[in-house]
Amino acid sequence: QVQLVESGGGSVQAGGSLRLSCAASGYIYCMGWFRQTPGKVREGVATIYTSGGFTRYADSVKGRFTISQDNAKNTLYLQMNSLKPEDTGPYYCAAAQGGGCRLRYGDFDYWGQGAQVTVSS
């Protein structure tokens, strides 16, 4: 059974930075970060294969966000720089034990509890 525990997030002004962390347990093939925007489904922000480290990013965050992992600590990170008000929302850590590891909700089976990110203008 996979368990995910998120930490980090908070409030920041536009242009600022925040970092999210996700402590994981269990066998995991791929991990990712998703966010929920009002009236929309949970959208993929970034994903990473736990073996090899190949990453994918949503176009809206490329060059600003970085997904990384510390395998020794079984922890996933999302470094968010140059934050914009439209980045506001709850962010969820996700994990999968197989599959395509795409920026798609359906590719992931396990979810963290969510961490709020608020960016003010």
Side-chain angles (χ1 to χ4, degrees), residues 30-70:
C30 167
M31 296 193 76
W33 291 99
F34 285 70
R35 65 187 179 190
Q36 190 93 39
T37 54
K40 295 185 179 180
V41 299
R42 200 166 288 185
E43 64 176 9
V45 174
T47 63
I48 185 168
Y49 286 91
T50 57
S51 178
F54 179 78
T55 57
R56 288 189 174 97
Y57 292 92
D59 288 343
S60 59
V61 306
K62 281 180 182 176
R64 301 189 298 122
F65 291 12
T66 302
I67 188 171
S68 62
Q69 59 188 356
D70 183 334

Side-chain angles (χ1 to χ4, degrees), residues 8-97:
S11 297
V12 67
Q13 290 190 325
S17 298
L18 288 172
R19 188 176 82 158
L20 300 175
S21 301
C22 176
S25 62
Y27 169 73
I28 298 173
Y29 169 75
C30 167
M31 296 193 76
W33 291 99
F34 285 70
R35 65 187 179 190
Q36 190 93 39
T37 54
K40 295 185 179 180
V41 299
R42 200 166 288 185
E43 64 176 9
V45 174
T47 63
I48 185 168
Y49 286 91
T50 57
S51 178
F54 179 78
T55 57
R56 288 189 174 97
Y57 292 92
D59 288 343
S60 59
V61 306
K62 281 180 182 176
R64 301 189 298 122
F65 291 12
T66 302
I67 188 171
S68 62
Q69 59 188 356
D70 183 334
N71 288 336
K73 296 181 179 179
N74 292 328
T75 301
L76 179 74
Y77 302 100
L78 184 69
Q79 177 66 42
M80 303 180 289
N81 298 328
S82 302
L83 281 160
K84 304 176 181 180
E86 52 262 43
D87 294 319
T88 294
Y91 282 68
Y92 298 89
C93 173
Q97 295 181 313

